[in-house]
Amino acid sequence: MARLHDIVVDSAHPAAAARFWAAVLDGYAVAPYDDAELARLRALGIASPEDDPTVLLEPQNGGPRLFFQQVPEPKRVKNRVHMDLVADDLDAETARLAELGAVLLARHEKHILFADPEGNEFCLAQLGSY
């Protein structure tokens, strides 16, 4: 039986996308860059983690990892898979997401549709409304 290991997100700029999602999601952080990881990047001709083509977001309390990988083509159409988030205070979280760079796309009866800074759609609902 298969188990979910990573959720992989295609990205134009993985470091920025990972930072956005680390700020959005409770209990997630960008994986640290130790000496071995920095050496791996240098061996690829990459001088800074900011230019890393593959950035990992790790959960602190279990759950799947989010892995942002650089792709050359821009996002063109609606996501086939998206994240659904819940919050205790929908209005406060909507304001916080906007401050982080999320764009409100639509309000629906039970959820709000957003796009992250790269245009990937995600939803936010009141905790307990689903």
Side-chain angles (χ1 to χ4, degrees):
M1 180 73 61
R3 292 179 295 146
L4 183 59
H5 181 63
D6 290 338
I7 297 171
V8 180
V9 180
D10 290 349
S11 179
H13 191 244
R19 282 193 307 273
F20 170 82
W21 283 101
V24 167
L25 297 172
D26 185 28
Y28 276 80
V30 174
Y33 285 86
D34 60 15
D35 290 338
E37 184 63 12
L38 293 172
R40 182 190 71 81
L41 290 178
R42 283 191 301 274
L44 295 170
I46 300 166
S48 168
E50 187 63 24
D51 298 321
D52 188 350
T54 57
V55 179
L56 180 63
L57 202 61
E58 296 178 312
Q60 296 171 351
N61 299 314
R65 303 180 317 172
L66 296 175
F67 189 77
F68 296 85
Q69 69 179 5
Q70 188 174 39
V71 296
E73 66 277 355
K75 182 182 176 302
R76 297 185 191 273
V77 297
K78 183 180 185 300
N79 296 36
R80 295 297 300 243
V81 175
H82 70 266
M83 292 184 231
D84 281 349
L85 311 177
V86 293
D88 291 326
D89 184 333
L90 197 58
D91 292 333
E93 189 62 6
T94 296
R96 188 180 81 84
L97 292 173
E99 288 176 16
L100 292 172
V103 176
L104 193 150
L105 299 176
R107 287 185 180 268
H108 299 281
E109 183 179 339
K110 292 192 174 190
H111 70 277
I112 300 170
L113 177 64
F114 288 92
D116 73 8
E118 290 201 354
N120 298 303
E121 296 91 0
F122 66 97
C123 294
L124 175 68
Q126 183 75 38
L127 184 63
S129 69
Y130 275 143

